Protein backbone atom coordinates (compact mmCIF):
# COMPACT_ATOMS: atom_id res chain seq x y z
CA UNK A 1 0.00 0.00 0.00
CA UNK A 2 3.05 2.30 0.19
CA UNK A 3 2.79 3.51 -3.42
CA UNK A 4 -0.88 4.43 -2.87
CA UNK A 5 0.14 6.31 0.26
CA UNK A 6 2.82 8.13 -1.76
CA UNK A 7 0.27 9.16 -4.42
CA UNK A 8 -2.10 10.42 -1.72
CA UNK A 9 0.73 12.30 -0.02
CA UNK A 10 1.85 14.00 -3.23
CA UNK A 11 -1.70 15.06 -4.11
CA UNK A 12 -2.27 16.36 -0.57
CA UNK A 13 0.98 18.32 -0.53
CA UNK A 14 0.15 19.86 -3.90
CA UNK A 15 -3.33 20.85 -2.67
CA UNK A 16 -1.98 22.46 0.51
CA UNK A 17 0.71 24.32 -1.44
CA UNK A 18 -1.96 25.69 -3.80
CA UNK A 19 -4.06 26.67 -0.76
CA UNK A 20 -1.11 28.56 0.74
CA UNK A 21 -0.85 30.40 -2.58
CA UNK A 22 -4.61 31.17 -2.43
CA UNK A 23 -5.22 29.33 -5.72
CA UNK A 24 -8.71 27.80 -6.25
CA UNK A 25 -7.19 24.72 -7.93
CA UNK A 26 -6.37 23.54 -4.39
CA UNK A 27 -9.92 22.26 -4.09
CA UNK A 28 -10.13 19.74 -6.99
CA UNK A 29 -6.60 18.48 -6.23
CA UNK A 30 -7.65 18.12 -2.59
CA UNK A 31 -10.71 16.14 -3.68
CA UNK A 32 -8.45 13.62 -5.43
CA UNK A 33 -6.24 13.31 -2.35
CA UNK A 34 -9.13 12.63 0.02
CA UNK A 35 -10.41 9.90 -2.29
CA UNK A 36 -7.05 8.14 -1.97
CA UNK A 37 -6.82 8.63 1.79
CA UNK A 38 -10.24 7.14 2.58
CA UNK A 39 -8.82 3.74 1.68
CA UNK A 40 -5.48 4.29 3.41
CA UNK A 41 -7.07 5.26 6.73
CA UNK A 42 -9.69 2.49 6.61
CA UNK A 43 -6.88 -0.04 6.12
CA UNK A 44 -5.00 1.42 9.14
CA UNK A 45 -8.19 1.25 11.28
CA UNK A 46 -8.17 5.01 11.70
CA UNK A 47 -11.91 5.18 11.10
CA UNK A 48 -12.35 8.76 12.26
CA UNK A 49 -9.69 9.80 9.75
CA UNK A 50 -11.49 7.86 7.01
CA UNK A 51 -14.76 9.60 7.92
CA UNK A 52 -12.89 12.88 8.02
CA UNK A 53 -11.87 12.42 4.38
CA UNK A 54 -15.53 12.02 3.41
CA UNK A 55 -16.42 15.17 5.37
CA UNK A 56 -13.48 16.92 3.70
CA UNK A 57 -14.92 16.00 0.31
CA UNK A 58 -18.13 17.85 1.17
CA UNK A 59 -16.24 20.83 2.59
CA UNK A 60 -13.99 20.87 -0.47
CA UNK A 61 -16.98 21.34 -2.76
CA UNK A 62 -18.30 24.08 -0.45
CA UNK A 63 -14.89 25.78 -0.23
CA UNK A 64 -14.32 25.63 -3.95
CA UNK A 65 -17.68 27.27 -4.71
CA UNK A 66 -17.15 29.88 -1.99
CA UNK A 67 -13.62 30.75 -3.13
CA UNK A 68 -14.75 31.17 -6.74
CA UNK A 69 -17.08 33.96 -5.58
CA UNK A 70 -14.27 35.81 -3.76
CA UNK A 71 -11.35 36.05 -6.19
CA UNK A 72 -9.11 39.03 -6.74
CA UNK A 73 -8.22 40.18 -10.25
CA UNK A 74 -5.09 38.00 -10.09
CA UNK A 75 -7.20 34.84 -9.62
CA UNK A 76 -6.30 34.40 -5.93
CA UNK A 77 -8.87 34.22 -3.18
CA UNK A 78 -9.46 37.21 -0.90
CA UNK A 79 -8.66 36.67 2.77
CA UNK A 80 -11.46 37.33 5.29
CA UNK A 81 -11.30 38.17 9.00
CA UNK A 82 -12.56 35.76 11.69
CA UNK A 83 -14.50 37.27 14.58
CA UNK A 84 -13.39 36.12 18.03
CA UNK A 85 -16.94 35.09 18.99
CA UNK A 86 -17.13 32.88 15.89
CA UNK A 87 -13.72 31.38 16.65
CA UNK A 88 -14.82 30.54 20.21
CA UNK A 89 -18.08 29.00 18.99
CA UNK A 90 -16.24 26.85 16.43
CA UNK A 91 -13.69 25.71 19.04
CA UNK A 92 -16.59 24.72 21.34
CA UNK A 93 -18.15 22.74 18.47
CA UNK A 94 -14.78 21.05 17.95
CA UNK A 95 -14.64 20.00 21.62
CA UNK A 96 -18.19 18.61 21.56
CA UNK A 97 -17.46 16.82 18.28
CA UNK A 98 -14.25 15.35 19.73
CA UNK A 99 -16.01 13.92 22.77
CA UNK A 100 -19.02 12.62 20.85
CA UNK A 101 -17.05 10.94 18.07
CA UNK A 102 -14.48 9.65 20.56
CA UNK A 103 -17.21 7.96 22.58
CA UNK A 104 -18.75 6.38 19.47
CA UNK A 105 -15.40 5.12 18.18
CA UNK A 106 -14.33 3.83 21.61
CA UNK A 107 -17.63 2.10 22.33
CA UNK A 108 -18.59 0.59 18.98
CA UNK A 109 -15.46 0.11 16.87
CA UNK A 110 -12.00 -1.41 17.07
CA UNK A 111 -10.45 1.98 16.27
CA UNK A 112 -6.75 2.09 17.08
CA UNK A 113 -6.73 5.52 18.79
CA UNK A 114 -10.41 6.44 19.20
CA UNK A 115 -10.11 9.54 21.41
CA UNK A 116 -7.05 11.12 19.80
CA UNK A 117 -8.20 10.32 16.29
CA UNK A 118 -11.64 11.78 17.05
CA UNK A 119 -10.20 15.00 18.49
CA UNK A 120 -7.94 15.46 15.48
CA UNK A 121 -10.89 14.77 13.19
CA UNK A 122 -13.13 17.33 14.89
CA UNK A 123 -10.51 20.07 14.90
CA UNK A 124 -9.49 19.29 11.32
CA UNK A 125 -13.09 19.98 10.35
CA UNK A 126 -12.96 23.30 12.19
CA UNK A 127 -9.72 24.18 10.38
CA UNK A 128 -11.17 23.11 7.02
CA UNK A 129 -14.29 25.21 7.67
CA UNK A 130 -12.10 28.22 8.42
CA UNK A 131 -10.06 27.53 5.28
CA UNK A 132 -13.22 27.43 3.17
CA UNK A 133 -14.33 30.69 4.80
CA UNK A 134 -10.91 32.22 3.93
CA UNK A 135 -9.67 32.84 7.51
CA UNK A 136 -5.95 33.12 8.35
CA UNK A 137 -6.69 31.45 11.70
CA UNK A 138 -7.14 28.17 9.81
CA UNK A 139 -3.38 28.01 9.30
CA UNK A 140 -2.66 28.39 13.03
CA UNK A 141 -5.08 25.57 13.85
CA UNK A 142 -3.60 23.40 11.09
CA UNK A 143 -0.14 23.83 12.61
CA UNK A 144 -1.30 22.45 15.96
CA UNK A 145 -3.40 19.64 14.47
CA UNK A 146 -0.72 18.59 11.97
CA UNK A 147 1.97 18.45 14.66
CA UNK A 148 -0.14 15.97 16.62
CA UNK A 149 -0.98 14.02 13.47
CA UNK A 150 2.75 13.50 12.82
CA UNK A 151 3.02 11.58 16.08
CA UNK A 152 -0.13 9.57 15.43
CA UNK A 153 1.03 8.48 11.99
CA UNK A 154 4.51 7.57 13.23
CA UNK A 155 2.82 5.41 15.88
CA UNK A 156 0.66 3.74 13.19
CA UNK A 157 3.71 3.17 10.93
CA UNK A 158 2.37 5.43 8.18
CA UNK A 159 5.81 6.85 7.53
CA UNK A 160 5.06 8.62 4.25
CA UNK A 161 1.96 10.21 5.75
CA UNK A 162 3.86 11.32 8.87
CA UNK A 163 6.49 12.99 6.66
CA UNK A 164 3.67 14.56 4.65
CA UNK A 165 2.14 16.06 7.79
CA UNK A 166 5.51 17.40 8.89
CA UNK A 167 5.64 19.07 5.48
CA UNK A 168 2.12 20.39 6.05
CA UNK A 169 3.43 22.24 9.10
CA UNK A 170 6.02 23.98 6.93
CA UNK A 171 3.36 24.75 4.30
CA UNK A 172 1.06 26.10 7.03
CA UNK A 173 3.72 28.60 8.11
CA UNK A 174 4.08 29.61 4.45
CA UNK A 175 0.29 29.95 4.31
CA UNK A 176 0.25 32.16 7.41
CA UNK A 177 2.83 34.50 5.88
CA UNK A 178 1.18 34.58 2.44
CA UNK A 179 -2.36 35.04 3.74
CA UNK A 180 -1.28 37.60 6.32
CA UNK A 181 0.35 39.69 3.58
CA UNK A 182 -2.78 39.37 1.42
CA UNK A 183 -5.08 40.22 4.33
CA UNK A 184 -3.30 43.37 5.48
CA UNK A 185 -5.56 46.33 5.35
CA UNK A 186 -8.87 44.44 5.51
CA UNK A 187 -8.60 43.20 9.11
CA UNK A 188 -8.09 39.58 8.06
CA UNK A 189 -4.61 39.49 9.53
CA UNK A 190 -5.98 39.88 13.05
CA UNK A 191 -5.53 36.55 14.84
CA UNK A 192 -8.35 35.70 17.30
CA UNK A 193 -7.23 35.06 20.85
CA UNK A 194 -7.89 31.30 20.59
CA UNK A 195 -6.32 30.62 17.21
Amino acid sequence: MTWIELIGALLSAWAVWLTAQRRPWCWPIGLLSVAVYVGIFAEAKLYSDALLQIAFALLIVYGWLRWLRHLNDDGRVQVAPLATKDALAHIAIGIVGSLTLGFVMHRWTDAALPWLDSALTAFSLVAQWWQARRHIAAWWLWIVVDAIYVGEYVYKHLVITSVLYAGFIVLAFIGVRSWKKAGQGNGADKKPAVA
Side-chain angles (χ1 to χ4, degrees):
M1 189 134 169
T2 306
W3 68 272
I4 294 173
E5 188 181 356
L6 180 59
I7 290 169
L10 292 172
L11 286 170
S12 294
W14 187 17
V16 173
W17 182 81
L18 288 169
T19 305
Q21 302 303 312
R22 301 177 11 255
R23 298 283 186 193
W25 278 102
C26 64
W27 300 105
I29 303 301
L31 198 55
L32 291 173
S33 74
V34 300
V36 172
Y37 267 103
V38 167
I40 291 169
F41 291 137
E43 179 73 23
K45 293 187 178 184
L46 294 171
Y47 303 129
S48 293
D49 274 340
L51 289 172
L52 175 62
Q53 300 308 305
I54 294 167
F56 274 165
L58 298 173
L59 284 171
I60 282 170
V61 171
Y62 168 76
W64 194 3
L65 294 173
R66 186 164 180 81
W67 276 33
L68 289 175
R69 290 193 317 258
H70 295 92
L71 297 178
N72 288 327
D73 292 337
D74 66 357
R76 294 175 191 244
V77 74
Q78 301 164 351
V79 177
L82 174 61
T84 301
K85 71 177 182 72
D86 291 338
L88 292 172
H90 300 157
I91 295 295
I93 291 168
I95 291 169
V96 170
S98 297
L99 296 173
T100 303
L101 185 57
F103 176 77
V104 168
M105 291 296 162
H106 176 74
R107 178 95 166 129
W108 289 295
T109 75
D110 63 345
L113 302 166
W115 296 101
L116 177 62
D117 196 28
S118 295
L120 291 171
T121 295
F123 284 100
S124 291
L125 289 172
V126 172
Q128 188 69 22
W129 176 256
W130 287 352
Q131 201 90 62
R133 309 271 311 163
R134 305 172 289 117
H135 302 311
I136 294 170
W139 292 111
W140 294 109
L141 186 52
W142 279 126
I143 289 165
V144 172
V145 168
D146 290 344
I148 298 168
Y149 266 129
V150 169
E152 180 184 67
Y153 296 142
V154 167
Y155 177 78
K156 289 302 294 177
H157 307 290
L158 294 171
V159 177
I160 293 171
T161 303
S162 64
V163 170
L164 169 69
Y165 275 72
F168 281 168
I169 296 168
V170 173
L171 288 171
F173 278 110
I174 292 169
V176 166
R177 189 179 70 219
S178 171
W179 283 42
K180 192 171 192 172
K181 183 178 177 184
Q184 288 174 342
N186 68 359
D189 58 335
K190 304 283 191 286
K191 195 171 50 163
V194 297

